[in-house]
Amino acid sequence: MNSVFSNKTAISIFVLPTLLIFCGIVLVPIFISSYYSLLDWNGVGKGAFIGFRNYVEMFTDTRALHAMKNSLLFAAASVFIQLPISLVLALVLASAVKGEGFYRTVYFIPVLISTVVIAQLWSKIYNADYGLLNTLLKDIGLSGWVQDWLGQKKTALIASFIPTLWQYIGYHMLLMYAGAKSVSQDIFEAAKIDGASRVRTAIAITIPLMRPILKVCLVFSVIGAFKVFDLVYVLTGGGPLFATEVPSTLMYTTIFDTYRYGYGSALSVFIILECLVFTVVINTFFKTE
Amino acid sequence: MKALLKRSMVVVLALGLTGSLAACSSPSEGETQAGGSGTIKLKLWDQSVGNTDPSSKLLPEIIEKWNADHPNIQVERTGTTGEQYKTKIKTALAANEAPDVFYGMGGGSFMQPYIKSDNVLDITSYVTDDIKAKMAPGMLEGITTNGKIYSLPVYTHIASLYVNTELFQKAGAKIPTTYQELLDAVSKLKEAGITPALIGEKDRWPGMYWYDLIAMRQAGNDAVVEAFKDPSKWNTPDFVAAAAKMQELAKAGAFNSSMFSMSYDEMLGAFNAGNGAMMVQANWVNGGIEDESSAVKGKVQVVPFPIFEDGKGKSTEIFGGGQDGFYVSSSTKYPKEAVEFLTYLSMELGTKGFQAGAGLPSWNTDGIDTSGLSELDQAAAEIMKTGNSFITWWDNILPAESADAHKNLIATLLSGDMSPEEFCKQMAQLKPTELDL
């Protein structure tokens, strides 16, 4: 076995199929999109080369800037709300509570359900006329709070963040849980002998030792926020009046509703670069510390 | 036992593999057949798959009859649901892989880019005088672009005001025929605790129907056609007045407070459950209203949109009447046969669809039994007969980008974030239509 893995030709033969598929469905389209983003093109026929004008428009158009701002807000919400909740759940579960397996499964269920199903579910919860949320508020005497959650500019953004944050809590929890479980029991025993409390053990031992997995979670969470599309698209379609628009929904509307393939491709290139830059930044941040 | 399981797994896998192999090779088989035995295979793509859509029942029947009558020209149909169909056909057209015959999603600005780039077959020479004579008045003009014909009409739709008579009676309101009566009805319905009108503005086009009709009543169809050609005319007093009326209705509480989170489907659901008294929609909603599951079956009337005391539009000027038909791909190997099938399909589906309540006829219906039609369908057909001027859905007339902007502007107007003057200034920035009007 070892001789096979040290053989360079064998390695290249094994790697080649995946590399080809990866190039074909990821790398090549990215380069093609980058080229399209320099065109003024309606999707059929010939496009006119216009240089970086699509990018200039993107960074001067209030609608696009608003969408970028929303995705940054969403990334911040993921990092500062979603990940801490996942971390606490993971640490609690990893500290051998009763029914560990049961809770682990329950928290993970939303990850397994299709996002479109989740979006439909939440749009029924938020429904202004018969939604669960408004009915509940009425029943507990808070009729004044009853409102059209997804139909108002001031509440729609938060209302569309919550389902995604909720959905992926289980995902990050499972990653962190695995990280916490892989910490050697000897260390915990030593801490116990020294009289460290559970909270202290978590802060001083478990979390620092989970750094690699925390980095992975952070990267996934931020990139996931930048790429979010399906949930927002089904819940609000970017509305009302662009209040919940994110770069990916704007890209979809530009390409499929207004036939501006060039501008839409520029947006997609922006999303790719945004994800790339933040991945590098997060990695260097974790290295230097 | 384990060995048996393993062996049966192998058999299943092998079967699966051969199955997928067969699936891969079938298209090429079809092609060789076409060359060898003289059988022609035509592919048809459509979007009629919904349960309540009468076309989804009619299409397979029509194709089965065609295939039985034409053993040498066999049609294979693929149905895909609405929004997905749009994406699918756009992608196929752009890749030059469109099926021989396909549904064109209301034509207009949807098909315009593909007509321009020659992805669609020019069928002018195939449309004989005989075929032209069978069309209903006004339809031939509608399908002609720059003197060329690319599609045949199937059936058509017109938008009118749907009123729930039970709720109107409850509120003591009168079915409106003028703008003032509309405002009166709104305040009476509101007093009675009834939502006066429903808009599914999450999808943006239901609100557009309101504004477009108001603008047509205020300025008249001729002025609207002028403005389509010269957008600077959107910024004239008549259109400002129309926008002001739209906002007046919104501020008077005419529309449901949840309109921005309500989709088109939810709007229909709410109307059919009796949760709103009025709705501006086209006759494709008739089937759902008259369905057994509907709470408002038999309680709904369809009437022409109210006329305005100070408006130039008449009730005979109708919103709708567009061509909603099938096209032939320019990459088809059998243009003659494809057009032959297109003609058969358009006529059969047009007449049978009308009888089944799928739409209003665009072919001559003299001597056709309409007794099976619901009251709503007959009333809509009556309104259509009174029409002497038709303007189809504005988002089909405007170029795609302007259509999108138009719908967004109306949503902003409805929300009260934009003044009627600013709305018209922005409308004047739209691009002129690329169609002949």
Side-chain angles (χ1 to χ4, degrees):
Chain A
M1 208 58 191
N2 268 339
S3 64
V4 173
F5 282 122
S6 56
N7 181 341
K8 290 252 162 61
T9 2
I11 293 175
S12 8
I13 289 172
F14 281 120
V15 166
L16 200 64
T18 320
L19 188 71
L20 283 179
I21 294 172
F22 179 74
C23 286
I25 63 175
V26 180
L27 284 183
V28 174
I30 288 179
F31 284 115
I32 296 177
S33 286
S34 317
Y35 168 65
Y36 287 162
S37 72
L38 304 175
L39 300 179
D40 176 20
W41 187 41
N42 69 357
V44 283
K46 265 199 155 166
F49 189 82
I50 55 163
F52 286 94
R53 244 180 283 168
N54 282 327
Y55 291 92
V56 174
E57 185 186 341
M58 188 164 74
F59 287 107
T60 48
D61 179 31
T62 46
R63 192 175 164 187
L65 289 175
H66 182 72
M68 291 172 197
K69 195 186 103 196
N70 280 347
S71 78
L72 287 175
L73 275 176
F74 191 31
S78 301
V79 172
F80 295 109
I81 300 172
Q82 184 184 49
L83 291 184
I85 296 176
S86 304
L87 183 63
V88 170
L89 285 175
L91 290 175
V92 170
L93 280 189
S95 64
V97 286
K98 238 187 194 169
E100 190 181 321
F102 173 74
Y103 287 115
R104 200 176 55 205
T105 314
V106 167
Y107 288 127
F108 195 67
I109 284 175
V111 186
L112 301 174
I113 305 174
S114 148
T115 317
V116 177
V117 174
I118 289 196
Q120 287 291 351
L121 186 85
W122 279 85
S123 75
K124 297 295 177 283
I125 292 177
Y126 285 134
N127 188 293
D129 300 316
Y130 54 79
L132 188 70
L133 184 58
N134 278 351
T135 318
L136 188 78
L137 287 174
K138 264 182 225 158
D139 287 351
I140 59 171
L142 288 172
S143 311
W145 290 23
V146 166
Q147 51 193 309
D148 186 10
W149 297 97
L150 289 172
Q152 284 174 301
K153 276 202 274 183
K154 58 177 197 275
T155 51
L157 191 64
I158 299 166
S160 56
F161 279 176
I162 290 172
T164 328
L165 295 182
W166 168 78
Q167 185 185 6
Y168 284 103
I169 280 178
Y171 179 73
H172 295 295
M173 182 208 72
L174 203 69
L175 286 180
M176 292 175 185
Y177 169 81
K181 275 282 184 190
S182 67
V183 176
S184 164
Q185 280 298 320
D186 304 349
I187 306 176
F188 287 124
E189 271 165 30
K192 223 175 192 175
I193 292 167
D194 286 345
S197 71
R198 276 191 166 188
V199 178
R200 174 113 188 128
T201 322
I203 294 172
I205 298 173
T206 328
I207 294 179
L209 284 173
M210 278 166 67
R211 249 177 71 155
I213 206 79
L214 288 179
K215 186 179 86 181
V216 171
C217 284
L218 199 61
V219 170
F220 279 179
S221 171
V222 168
I223 290 179
F226 288 152
K227 289 195 303 189
V228 68
F229 170 76
D230 35 13
L231 209 124
V232 174
Y233 185 72
V234 179
L235 268 182
T236 63
L241 306 172
F242 322 129
T244 59
E245 202 144 57
V246 287
S248 56
T249 55
L250 181 61
M251 172 186 84
Y252 183 87
T253 348
T254 343
I255 293 183
F256 288 105
D257 291 348
T258 66
Y259 300 90
R260 297 188 59 200
Y261 280 69
Y263 187 51
S265 301
L267 278 163
S268 74
V269 171
F270 169 78
I271 297 171
I272 294 167
L273 288 179
E274 191 188 22
C275 291
L276 219 68
V277 166
F278 272 84
T279 311
V280 172
V281 166
I282 290 168
N283 275 317
T284 41
F285 173 75
F286 267 81
K287 238 179 239 159
T288 51
E289 219 182 64
Chain B
M1 194 58 205
K2 237 183 189 169
L4 183 70
L5 195 74
K6 225 176 185 176
R7 213 169 294 158
S8 46
M9 283 289 280
V10 169
V11 172
V12 169
L13 258 176
L15 276 177
L17 273 175
T18 23
S20 56
L21 273 178
C24 290
S25 59
S26 59
S28 54
E29 256 170 46
E31 269 164 33
T32 47
Q33 255 183 17
S37 65
T39 312
I40 289 171
K41 273 199 178 172
L42 293 178
K43 281 196 179 123
L44 168 72
W45 282 9
D46 64 80
Q47 59 131 20
S48 305
V49 287
N51 278 333
T52 54
D53 182 359
S55 315
S56 53
K57 263 182 246 135
L58 290 169
L59 262 175
E61 289 170 23
I62 292 168
I63 292 164
E64 204 176 309
K65 182 149 187 302
W66 167 272
N67 283 346
D69 292 349
H70 301 82
N72 293 331
I73 312 172
Q74 293 293 302
V75 175
E76 227 174 74
R77 172 193 173 222
T78 314
T80 317
T81 180
E83 280 302 315
Q84 282 159 34
Y85 179 77
K86 274 192 192 175
T87 315
K88 182 174 169 177
I89 191 68
K90 274 185 199 171
T91 317
L93 278 167
N96 226 352
E97 284 166 5
D100 304 282
V101 182
F102 59 92
Y103 174 67
M105 271 286 170
S109 58
F110 185 88
M111 289 306 299
Q112 200 59 25
Y114 305 106
I115 290 177
K116 264 193 184 166
S117 62
D118 289 328
N119 288 88
V120 181
L121 188 72
D122 170 13
I123 59 168
T124 320
S125 57
Y126 297 101
V127 183
T128 58
D129 290 341
D130 191 35
I131 298 175
K132 285 177 188 164
K134 285 182 188 155
M135 284 181 206
M139 288 299 144
L140 183 63
E141 291 75 27
I143 53 169
T144 316
T145 316
N146 291 331
K148 285 180 181 167
I149 298 173
Y150 294 94
S151 171
L152 291 174
V154 179
Y155 28 69
T156 188
H157 301 274
I158 58 166
S160 323
L161 184 68
Y162 284 79
V163 290
N164 183 326
T165 49
E166 193 184 41
L167 293 180
F168 265 73
Q169 268 167 20
K170 218 188 209 171
K174 184 174 168 283
I175 293 176
T177 57
T178 64
Y179 182 70
Q180 195 50 50
E181 287 178 9
L182 179 63
L183 280 180
D184 290 347
V186 165
S187 66
K188 279 205 176 120
L189 286 161
K190 266 197 77 91
E191 270 167 41
I194 297 164
T195 306
L198 293 165
I199 296 186
E201 190 59 14
K202 183 183 170 188
D203 290 331
R204 296 178 306 156
W205 60 271
M208 182 192 78
Y209 277 30
W210 274 90
Y211 173 78
D212 291 357
L213 260 169
I214 291 174
M216 284 162 68
R217 290 289 184 259
Q218 186 74 45
N221 275 15
D222 293 339
V224 172
V225 170
E226 282 301 303
F228 275 129
K229 290 175 184 159
D230 174 12
S232 68
K233 297 208 167 116
W234 290 121
N235 196 3
T236 48
D238 275 339
F239 291 110
V240 178
K245 281 202 168 78
M246 178 87 176
Q247 220 163 39
E248 185 181 16
L249 282 170
K251 282 192 182 134
F255 309 120
N256 50 316
S257 58
S258 59
M259 66 177 152
F260 282 106
S261 64
M262 184 182 262
S263 69
Y264 164 73
D265 289 325
E266 286 167 337
M267 170 182 77
L268 290 190
F271 187 80
N272 293 351
N275 293 339
M278 285 184 282
M279 176 170 79
V280 166
Q281 262 306 316
N283 48 288
W284 51 63
V285 302
N286 292 358
I289 294 173
E290 296 288 342
D291 193 73
E292 287 304 324
S293 65
S294 158
V296 295
K297 184 177 181 334
K299 296 170 190 163
V300 174
Q301 259 187 36
V302 55
V303 294
F305 195 77
I307 50 160
F308 295 173
E309 294 83 347
D310 59 344
K312 299 185 178 109
K314 302 179 191 71
S315 67
T316 54
E317 295 178 345
I318 286 174
F319 184 37
Q323 324 296 328
D324 199 18
F326 292 84
Y327 291 75
V328 176
S329 156
S330 58
S331 61
T332 179
K333 284 189 205 132
Y334 317 104
K336 189 173 156 281
E337 288 79 5
V339 176
E340 203 180 316
F341 171 68
L342 172 80
T343 315
Y344 177 83
L345 174 73
S346 305
M347 283 181 166
E348 283 291 298
L349 193 61
T351 17
K352 285 196 175 139
F354 170 55
Q355 284 171 299
L360 299 168
S362 30
W363 299 89
N364 213 329
T365 52
D366 294 342
I368 279 175
D369 179 23
T370 55
S371 57
L373 283 181
S374 71
E375 268 178 47
L376 277 181
D377 285 331
Q378 287 185 10
E382 284 307 311
I383 297 176
M384 170 124 176
K385 268 187 201 159
T386 66
N388 54 22
S389 163
F390 294 86
I391 291 181
T392 189
W393 324 130
W394 291 19
D395 54 347
N396 275 350
I397 298 175
L398 292 165
E401 209 187 321
S402 297
D404 202 55
H406 177 55
K407 285 183 272 191
N408 287 335
L409 283 173
I410 290 166
T412 322
L413 184 72
L414 267 175
S415 75
D417 285 0
M418 189 182 261
S419 70
E421 291 76 21
E422 178 61 25
F423 172 81
C424 288
K425 239 181 244 165
Q426 299 271 339
M427 282 291 291
Q429 305 296 315
L430 299 184
K431 288 189 184 137
T433 178
E434 291 163 343
L435 311 176
D436 298 350
L437 288 176

